[in-house]
Amino acid sequence: YGTFARRADVVTSFFPFVTPGPHLAWRLPLSLLRPAALFASIARNLEPHGEFVMANHGPEEAAIASAYAEHAGLTRVHEFACS
């Protein structure tokens, strides 16, 4: 995550791995599970006043991902939940 550097007005992240479960389901080594580094990279690459769009599997995962995003300095503007 720390090596990609390209500024963008919009960054999207569809179903980022933020917990071990999906990571293990895809048979990826847990050493690659670094959600804090992922969101820090997103924040570094996002232009000021840019937009970050994220989709998650359910409210529990969204809450975890949102906490990482907020810790990285990203601010929530809108939230949409499907029922």
Side-chain angles (χ1 to χ4, degrees):
Y1 301 114
T3 60
F4 185 80
R6 179 167 294 164
R7 302 294 288 183
D9 291 320
V10 177
V11 175
T12 60
S13 183
F14 296 99
F15 313 108
F17 292 160
V18 294
T19 61
H23 216 77
L24 293 172
W26 282 84
R27 302 201 183 280
L28 298 170
L30 284 178
S31 61
L32 296 178
L33 179 61
R34 300 184 313 145
L38 169 65
F39 286 95
S41 177
I42 291 167
R44 273 193 314 276
N45 287 307
L46 193 61
E47 289 285 356
H49 306 292
E51 303 239 351
F52 171 53
V53 179
M54 175 173 60
N56 301 102
H57 285 108
E60 296 86 12
E61 183 183 273
I64 294 167
S66 292
Y68 280 112
E70 290 171 16
H71 187 266
L74 299 166
T75 303
R76 183 185 320 205
V77 177
H78 300 286
E79 180 177 337
F80 177 79
C82 294
S83 52

